[in-house]
Amino acid sequence: MRNLISMLDLRGRWMSLIELAEDMKENPFSYSRSLEGKTLALLFEKPSTRTRASFECAMHQMGGNSMFLSPRDLQLGRGEPIKDTARVLSRYADAISYRGHEHSKTLELAQFSSIPVINALDESEHPCQALADIFTIWEEMGSFDLKLCYLGDGNNVCNSLVIASSLAGMEMVCSCPEGRDPKTLDLARKLGGKVRVERDPKKAADGADVLYTDVWISMGEKEKNLELFRPYQLDSEKLELAKEDCLVMHCLPAHRGEEITEEVLESENSVVFDQAENRLHVQKALLFHLMLITSDLG
Ligand code: CP
Ligand code: NVA
């Protein structure tokens, strides 16, 4: 693995990354100089709280540096092609974490970079999030013999989670309005994943071990008819239908009163801030792998 563009790139490696993240979380000081002299370029075309902050802290905690590059301040914002930006940054930094719009642009950046490229979210996928999500489930439940119910919009976060569930062998039920199903269902089938669509959100939530949701309108999307999504809100009725010790997950930021109620987000079942913390630990494992192990392999 040289890049992380899709969650599929973690096939065969996701569990060892989770184990490394577990060790890094328990023994952070053992890795405090592991990325000395290394630099991560953070090229972000959209806002971010968790992804930006966790990547910057990850580099700092491992003795390396990060540089945050916004298109507003770069020549990229004045029309310099991404393929030129890729080749220039490759001469300075050791990896690029890129948050953009079209998936084709993420692929082009990776094609022209000679250093690892990490997809920090685009309109197709959010693999760093999905890795943190399965780490959180593993940490909380100690098993993937579970039913995960995803409610709402079958967006980038859901696309990566479908692949992650398939790789982990976890049952996943996607309950989205018609026309908003995730785009990775065919891939999940090819992977032998136990992923299915259930249009009725109450049936989907019934007996779930994990209830997951994300915003109804993602960054860069046009306004949508939110009424279509209302039945899919993660509310106390769905939580009642799920198992008593069910985890409530959300990648954040959350829109209270839309995809999730305040009551459910703040409930005892909610692990959203542990999930947010785990972004840091899995990304440390990922950076360690991409900057040291992969580069040693040439
Ligand atoms: N979950 C997530 O990626 O959050 P940010 O947009 O704040 O980075
Ligand atoms: N689906 C959301 C995730 C934000 C972390 C978006 O793309 O805006």
Side-chain angles (χ1 to χ4, degrees):
M1 181 179 78
R2 207 199 72 173
N3 301 313
L4 174 57
I5 305 298
S6 162
M7 186 65 206
L8 188 62
D9 296 330
L10 295 180
R11 183 155 49 162
R13 286 187 179 83
W14 61 274
M15 195 63 211
S16 58
L17 286 175
I18 283 180
E19 282 163 2
L20 181 57
E22 246 174 347
D23 190 48
M24 287 177 150
K25 189 170 180 175
E26 263 173 47
N27 309 298
F29 298 112
S30 310
Y31 299 89
S32 60
R33 297 182 69 172
S34 54
L35 295 187
E36 217 164 43
K38 305 276 186 195
T39 301
L40 175 68
L42 289 151
L43 181 56
F44 277 39
E45 300 198 45
K46 287 175 179 168
S48 168
T49 298
R50 282 142 288 270
T51 310
R52 174 184 176 174
S54 55
F55 267 121
E56 292 205 31
C57 288
M59 286 305 293
H60 182 69
Q61 289 179 16
M62 292 193 287
N65 285 303
S66 60
M67 53 180 173
F68 184 75
L69 306 166
S70 137
R72 212 184 32 222
D73 309 315
L74 295 181
Q75 299 292 2
L76 186 68
R78 294 181 56 243
E80 185 171 20
I82 194 112
K83 60 183 182 181
D84 292 359
T85 309
R87 285 173 284 186
V88 172
L89 292 180
S90 296
R91 305 286 177 116
Y92 308 140
D94 298 280
I96 303 171
S97 168
Y98 175 61
R99 173 168 284 200
H101 294 270
E102 306 88 21
H103 192 60
S104 55
K105 232 168 137 186
T106 316
L107 291 171
E108 191 181 351
L109 181 76
Q111 185 193 342
F112 284 91
S113 295
S114 55
I115 55 175
V117 170
I118 300 166
N119 180 357
L121 178 149
D122 62 21
E123 63 190 27
S124 293
E125 282 209 44
H126 196 1
C128 298
Q129 182 68 54
L131 184 61
D133 296 342
I134 55 169
F135 175 43
T136 307
I137 293 171
W138 178 250
E139 199 177 34
E140 294 284 338
M141 305 296 226
S143 163
F144 291 114
D145 189 13
L146 303 168
K147 173 181 173 181
L148 184 160
C149 164
Y150 180 95
L151 295 164
D153 189 29
N155 58 18
N156 45 6
V157 167
C158 185
N159 286 336
S160 291
L161 203 53
V162 162
I163 302 172
S165 299
S166 304
L167 296 178
M170 183 164 55
E171 182 187 351
M172 180 168 173
V173 182
C174 303
S175 197
C176 312
E178 235 169 312
R180 296 302 309 173
D181 290 337
K183 293 183 176 60
T184 45
L185 291 172
D186 285 343
L187 177 57
R189 263 173 230 123
K190 281 185 200 142
L191 292 169
K194 294 182 269 179
V195 182
R196 64 187 169 88
V197 169
E198 169 54 68
R199 208 60 74 202
D200 179 342
K202 289 183 198 157
K203 282 190 191 156
D206 192 35
D209 299 280
V210 182
L211 288 174
Y212 197 119
T213 193
D214 182 21
V215 292
W216 291 339
I217 301 179
S218 287
M219 289 180 279
E221 281 191 318
K222 293 193 202 88
E223 287 297 308
K224 287 179 187 158
N225 179 6
L226 296 191
E227 289 316 306
L228 282 178
F229 291 93
R230 297 263 176 234
Y232 299 90
Q233 184 185 61
L234 179 36
D235 54 15
S236 49
E237 189 185 14
K238 317 285 188 322
L239 188 55
E240 282 285 312
L241 289 166
K243 292 208 180 121
E244 208 181 326
D245 61 349
C246 165
L247 303 180
V248 167
M249 298 182 72
H250 191 307
C251 62
L252 302 178
H255 291 164
R256 290 161 167 87
E258 289 190 7
E259 76 277 1
I260 191 163
T261 61
E262 169 85 8
E263 190 187 5
V264 172
L265 189 75
E266 300 289 353
S267 70
E268 280 186 3
N269 297 74
S270 173
V271 292
V272 297
F273 296 106
D274 299 312
Q275 188 184 351
E277 179 189 332
N278 283 339
R279 296 291 307 277
L280 172 71
H281 307 297
V282 298
Q283 284 160 207
K284 282 170 81 170
L286 184 66
L287 291 166
F288 186 90
H289 183 85
L290 289 175
M291 286 185 176
L292 296 179
I293 303 177
T294 310
S295 64
D296 283 354
L297 295 174

